[in-house]
Amino acid sequence: MISKIKVSIIVPVYNVENWIEECLISLLNQTLKEIEIILINDGTKDNSIKKIEKYLNYERIILINQENKGLSGARNRGLEIAKGEYISFVDSDDYIDKEMLEKMYDSSNNLDIIFCDFISFVDNQFNRENFRKKYEYFKNNLNIKTGSKYYIPELTVVWNKLYKREFIHENNIKFIENIIHEDNDFTLRTLLLAKKVKYIEEPLYYYRDKREGSIMSSISKDRKILSFVEIIKNIKKYEDKITDDFSKLRLKINELRHFYELLDIENKEQSIENKNIDLLKINKMLEKINLTKEEKLIVKRDLKWLYKAKSLRNIS
């Protein structure tokens, strides 16, 4: 019997019979032993559960069966029952370094979020460089404590992080269900609300990219539209919870980016007048805030990301 669970690992399981064992073995081999592995069978239709059955006698494994609710619904179910001091999300077609949880937990020191670098791979061809460039900023800023400075809009994954369970519950943070890009909203909320965050400059998570049969490979236009509508709605709901001006600015830029991406998906065009009104809101916020040199660089990066929206290109 584990007296104190340090980390709860939430693993949604849906049609991953070819990869689930590799994932599960990497979790069972963790050097940190005070863990629980919560497998959420999200109505899988293949032989994933048969692959799991031989491991169910391990004390640390919990299997929950439910009707299909999607990735968000499965993760939310895991959040409901997790007992660990920290929570980790691992996708069932990925795997992790055997020391990942120990290294991250030992660095936690009562922080809200700890995250590490990661490696993507396709057919056993490994690539770290494209992600390392995105994390390059933190190498020179390891003293940053507030989560609002750690948010990278182009990299909103949840699976390379440990979240303090108390922090998640105190802020009533859950995944929006029945949408895609659910990580966008969850990562934005957690990092803008977190007061104490740390980055570990070591690739400890292995992400299987572009696998055959993944959900993201066959998404309808209607579902994309619904997802962006829900994310924008959710951003507006927690605007009042964000207290500092720098985070409010980043949130507004994020809201506008999602709005213009939505227009792009719908093949709609905002009038020049309305575009200028939207951008004027950002400029007014900028005028009122005394940003540090570091914060100016972050906002510059955010604005560059915002202007990548097709309907905002070439606007003066």
Side-chain angles (χ1 to χ4, degrees):
M1 192 75 178
I2 303 171
S3 56
K4 177 189 176 182
I5 298 171
K6 293 179 177 177
V7 179
S8 296
I9 311 159
I10 298 171
V11 186
V13 178
Y14 183 79
N15 291 358
V16 285
E17 62 180 23
N18 294 328
W19 307 283
I20 185 61
E21 281 195 85
E22 183 178 33
C23 173
L24 192 48
I25 289 168
S26 77
L27 303 182
L28 289 169
N29 286 340
Q30 288 297 294
T31 53
L32 184 71
K33 300 305 180 186
E34 298 90 341
I35 63 175
E36 62 176 2
I37 303 166
I38 304 172
L39 303 174
I40 308 293
N41 170 20
D42 192 41
T44 189
K45 296 174 182 176
D46 67 355
N47 292 313
S48 294
I49 301 308
K50 286 185 179 178
K51 295 287 182 76
I52 289 169
E53 282 175 352
K54 61 185 173 185
Y55 300 98
L56 294 181
N57 59 334
Y58 285 86
E59 178 192 1
R60 291 175 287 165
I61 292 182
I62 300 166
L63 175 63
I64 303 293
N65 297 302
Q66 66 177 30
E67 293 182 6
N68 180 254
K69 292 185 177 180
L71 189 57
S72 294
R75 285 172 172 167
N76 283 341
R77 182 71 180 108
L79 285 172
E80 288 173 7
I81 65 173
K83 297 183 176 68
E85 183 183 351
Y86 282 86
I87 290 170
S88 170
F89 299 101
V90 174
D91 285 355
S92 48
D93 54 345
D94 300 338
Y95 63 92
I96 65 177
D97 185 282
K98 67 179 181 180
E99 294 184 287
M100 174 176 162
L101 297 181
E102 182 174 22
K103 285 181 176 180
M104 293 182 75
Y105 182 83
D106 286 350
S107 299
S108 63
N109 194 26
N110 206 36
L111 300 174
D112 296 324
I113 302 172
I114 309 96
F115 71 103
C116 66
D117 205 344
F118 61 96
I119 292 173
S120 74
F121 65 98
V122 180
D123 298 327
N124 293 319
Q125 297 295 313
F126 295 87
N127 183 10
R128 186 188 174 196
E129 291 307 313
N130 55 340
F131 298 111
R132 179 182 284 177
K133 288 174 185 175
K134 289 185 173 66
Y135 282 133
E136 195 73 25
Y137 167 77
F138 301 121
K139 291 175 71 173
N140 300 318
N141 294 277
L142 296 179
N143 61 331
I144 294 175
K145 298 298 181 185
T146 57
S148 59
K149 293 181 182 178
Y150 273 125
Y151 178 72
I152 302 178
E154 314 96 309
L155 192 61
T156 57
V157 297
V158 300
W159 34 249
N160 65 333
K161 300 173 178 68
L162 287 190
Y163 299 89
K164 191 168 181 62
R165 184 166 63 94
E166 184 181 8
F167 162 73
I168 294 291
H169 287 297
E170 281 180 353
N171 288 286
N172 193 30
I173 300 172
K174 294 180 181 178
F175 290 89
I176 305 174
E177 299 192 13
N178 302 314
I179 69 165
I180 59 169
H181 302 304
E182 64 287 323
D183 285 12
N184 289 18
D185 173 77
F186 191 92
T187 303
L188 179 66
R189 249 185 308 166
T190 51
L191 284 176
L192 291 194
L193 289 170
K195 303 301 181 189
K196 297 175 289 184
V197 179
K198 182 176 181 179
Y199 164 58
I200 296 176
E201 188 194 340
E202 188 173 356
L204 299 171
Y205 190 100
Y206 290 82
Y207 167 66
R208 190 183 306 273
D209 197 10
K210 300 175 184 175
R211 74 165 171 86
E212 184 182 347
S214 69
I215 293 172
M216 295 307 293
S217 62
S218 57
I219 300 297
S220 69
K221 179 179 175 180
D222 286 346
R223 194 169 177 205
K224 287 180 181 178
I225 291 170
L226 171 66
S227 299
F228 277 93
V229 168
E230 290 301 314
I231 290 171
I232 293 166
K233 250 197 275 184
N234 219 45
I235 287 175
K236 290 180 181 297
K237 279 182 187 176
Y238 64 85
E239 281 177 341
D240 292 341
K241 290 187 177 182
I242 307 300
T243 55
D244 69 283
D245 290 335
F246 174 67
S247 296
K248 282 179 180 289
L249 174 61
R250 299 204 73 193
L251 189 65
K252 176 53 71 175
I253 294 171
N254 198 286
E255 181 188 333
L256 281 179
R257 174 59 198 256
H258 279 90
F259 172 69
Y260 279 98
E261 283 198 41
L262 176 60
L263 289 182
D264 291 347
I265 295 167
E266 294 178 313
N267 292 318
K268 292 181 180 178
E269 184 68 33
Q270 181 85 309
S271 70
I272 294 293
E273 182 184 0
N274 284 335
K275 286 179 187 178
N276 286 329
I277 289 171
D278 288 337
L279 299 175
L280 185 62
K281 291 175 186 175
I282 299 294
N283 288 329
K284 283 186 175 180
M285 292 180 79
L286 276 166
E287 288 171 5
K288 292 178 181 178
I289 306 173
N290 292 319
L291 297 176
T292 65
K293 183 179 179 181
E294 174 187 87
E295 288 169 343
K296 286 177 182 177
L297 288 172
I298 294 171
V299 171
K300 184 178 179 180
R301 188 181 64 197
D302 284 353
L303 291 172
K304 186 178 179 181
W305 170 71
L306 170 62
Y307 278 93
K308 283 183 180 179
K310 188 167 60 177
S311 52
L312 271 180
R313 292 173 194 162
N314 302 321
I315 188 169
S316 56

